[in-house]
Amino acid sequence: MRSRFRSDRRLTVRMGITLFLLGLLYVGFVAALIAVLKSWVLVVVIVAAVLGAQYWFSDRIALFAMRGRAVERDEYPELHGVVDRLAAMADMPKPVVAVSEMEMPNAFATGRNPDHAVVCVTTGLLRRLEPAELEGVLAHELSHVAHKDVAVITVASFLGVLAGLIVRFAFYSQLFGGRRDQNTMAVLAVVMGVSAAVYALSFLLIRALSRYRELAADRAAALLTGRPSALAAALTKVTGDIARIPTKDLRTAQAFNAFYFTPAFGSEPGISRFFATHPSLEQRLDQLGRISAELGEATAPGAPGKG
């Protein structure tokens, strides 16, 4: 089913290139593990199990990690009403609506396809945003589902997750494995080295895709709702409020930054912005300002105009 969200050919091309490069990296990684571990059965079983779990249960894993739960219409009628309206406007299946009992204002979408998608918002977000701002945020998240970049990020991050698990396993095996011969130690060292290299490369590829997909989601949401200034106001408000939350309270959430509406950073990331999952706030507001000008929208009070 094709939704009415504006298609983005550049996003589609970037997703294809990222998956192709990660596929090559994946084949090389598996081949290296088989050569080192001398057991293709063990490697295939581990890889298949991790990929299957991440693909089929990504929505449940994300909700569990962020203390989210599916909510019925009678619990959150206004929230369901906004999602109903946006799904109808976009001509796409309505996703499961979930709420996370977190003070951090944020939202995310997850799921392997539009028919098995979840859109989750935190109670902190619901308390802070006006209806038009909430609509903009939810349109942003629904566009991730419609463009299928949620599924691509989920699958793409699989290789990094697997490599990270292997590095951790090999590291603790060296620490607590007792006496080992030189051959075993050499094998563990090679596994750690290959896995670390794969993790670094997949990390960079995913971050580059993630930054562009956030701009694509902002653009699609602004065009669907016709109110880019409301989305800009929500971005400004949420980013400012997150910056005031103690960093120690954000550490758990930071593992899921690639899925969030805006990253869970307690302050400006500095040089780490080059490895960030999201473009800067200035880039996002500048794009929304240009769209607002193109649509002839009057800038809402408190929302930035064209930068």
Side-chain angles (χ1 to χ4, degrees):
M1 178 183 294
R2 294 180 62 85
S3 79
R4 293 196 183 100
F5 274 108
R6 184 75 61 88
S7 62
D8 193 313
R9 186 176 298 276
R10 287 179 294 178
L11 175 62
T12 302
V13 170
R14 280 171 167 80
M15 290 192 296
I17 292 173
T18 300
L19 286 177
F20 175 74
L21 293 176
L22 285 171
L24 292 179
L25 194 60
Y26 166 76
V27 171
F29 182 48
V30 170
L33 288 181
I34 291 174
V36 171
L37 298 178
K38 309 295 184 184
S39 174
W40 68 267
V41 174
L42 175 62
V43 172
V44 169
V45 168
I46 292 174
V47 168
V50 175
L51 177 59
Q54 190 165 10
Y55 181 75
W56 290 100
F57 303 112
S58 60
D59 52 346
R60 301 179 197 178
I61 293 170
L63 283 179
F64 175 79
M66 298 314 300
R67 305 196 298 274
R69 64 180 181 87
V71 296
E72 300 299 330
R73 184 180 299 275
D74 57 352
E75 294 180 85
Y76 289 88
E78 294 86 1
L79 176 60
H80 270 272
V82 175
V83 176
D84 282 335
R85 184 167 63 255
L86 288 172
M89 289 169 61
D91 192 22
M92 62 184 292
K94 180 185 177 182
V96 173
V97 178
V99 170
S100 170
E101 298 287 339
M102 295 182 65
E103 179 59 25
M104 178 189 71
N106 228 318
F108 65 90
T110 184
R112 60 186 184 273
N113 58 47
D115 292 316
H116 299 86
V118 177
V119 171
C120 181
V121 298
T122 67
T123 52
L125 185 81
L126 293 175
R127 282 196 295 271
R128 287 170 170 84
L129 297 190
E130 299 297 325
E133 296 168 349
L134 179 62
E135 181 183 67
V137 172
L138 290 171
H140 171 104
E141 296 305 329
L142 285 176
S143 75
H144 282 315
V145 175
H147 289 153
K148 299 182 175 62
D149 57 84
V150 167
V152 170
I153 284 291
T154 298
V155 173
S157 63
F158 151 73
L159 192 57
V161 169
L162 179 62
L165 289 174
I166 290 176
V167 168
R168 192 170 299 180
F169 173 76
F171 176 74
Y172 286 117
S173 293
Q174 285 188 343
L175 285 182
F176 306 113
R179 293 180 59 84
R180 297 181 183 274
D181 58 42
Q182 289 185 342
N183 288 338
T184 302
M185 294 298 290
V187 168
L188 286 173
V190 171
V191 169
M192 284 187 68
V194 171
S195 300
V198 168
Y199 179 81
L201 290 172
S202 62
F203 177 92
L204 293 174
L205 287 171
I206 292 167
R207 292 306 189 274
L209 174 61
S210 182
R211 288 192 294 274
Y212 184 83
R213 85 182 188 111
E214 293 302 329
L215 288 173
D218 285 346
R219 183 165 51 249
L223 292 173
L224 181 73
T225 63
R227 290 191 282 188
S229 61
L231 180 56
L235 264 171
T236 303
K237 187 180 294 186
V238 170
T239 302
D241 286 348
I242 287 178
R244 289 190 286 271
I245 295 176
T247 303
K248 63 182 179 64
D249 295 334
L250 298 176
R251 285 174 185 159
T252 300
Q254 285 173 357
F256 292 88
N257 269 347
F259 293 91
Y260 281 137
F261 170 65
T262 191
F265 285 121
S267 60
E268 285 296 317
I271 195 171
S272 65
R273 67 183 182 276
F274 297 109
F275 310 107
T277 56
H278 290 60
S280 68
L281 176 63
E282 290 74 18
Q283 286 178 284
R284 298 176 77 176
L285 295 181
D286 184 63
Q287 175 182 247
L288 291 171
R290 292 195 300 270
I291 295 172
S292 181
E294 291 168 6
L295 296 177
E297 181 198 37
T299 303
K306 185 175 181 179

